[in-house]
Amino acid sequence: MANHKSSKKRIRQTKTRTLHNRYYAKTMRNAVRKLRAVTDKEEAVKMYPMVQKMLDKLAKTNIIHKNKASNLKSKLALHINKL
């Protein structure tokens, strides 16, 4: 267990950040899942910019890797074009 005051604080901060990051990562996964489930092209086209923005923000803050964000955006764009 941590003995130093600073390491105890670091543990508290890490726990808070982990919860925050987990929430946004889960929200992103749900949004991607929802977009993939849509069968109407117009609705998918409306949803895509919101999901794209979310992916870019998460990649910028290193919650997900930038290449993962790019891969997801690319796959979603292909999905929308196939509709």
Side-chain angles (χ1 to χ4, degrees):
M1 188 59 210
N3 291 320
H4 295 285
K5 200 174 182 181
S6 62
S7 56
K8 288 179 181 177
K9 180 178 178 180
R10 179 66 55 205
I11 290 168
R12 287 195 311 269
Q13 287 176 330
T14 304
K15 202 181 300 182
T16 307
R17 287 193 184 118
T18 302
L19 283 173
H20 179 266
N21 292 345
R22 198 181 293 159
Y23 168 78
Y24 282 103
K26 184 69 173 176
T27 305
M28 176 270 301
R29 285 196 301 273
N30 286 338
V32 169
R33 209 173 284 138
K34 206 177 284 184
L35 182 57
R36 282 192 179 130
V38 170
T39 54
D40 180 36
K41 186 168 183 157
E42 283 182 31
E43 193 177 338
V45 169
K46 282 182 188 172
M47 283 176 70
Y48 183 68
M50 180 203 66
V51 175
Q52 187 177 15
K53 184 178 177 183
M54 188 184 295
L55 288 167
D56 287 336
K57 278 185 176 181
L58 294 178
K60 189 173 96 176
T61 55
N62 290 322
I63 294 174
I64 60 171
H65 196 274
K66 63 178 180 152
N67 291 351
K68 181 177 177 68
S70 290
N71 288 335
L72 284 170
K73 288 192 293 187
S74 145
K75 291 280 166 77
L76 291 171
L78 281 172
H79 171 73
I80 290 171
N81 287 333
K82 285 181 182 177
L83 291 177

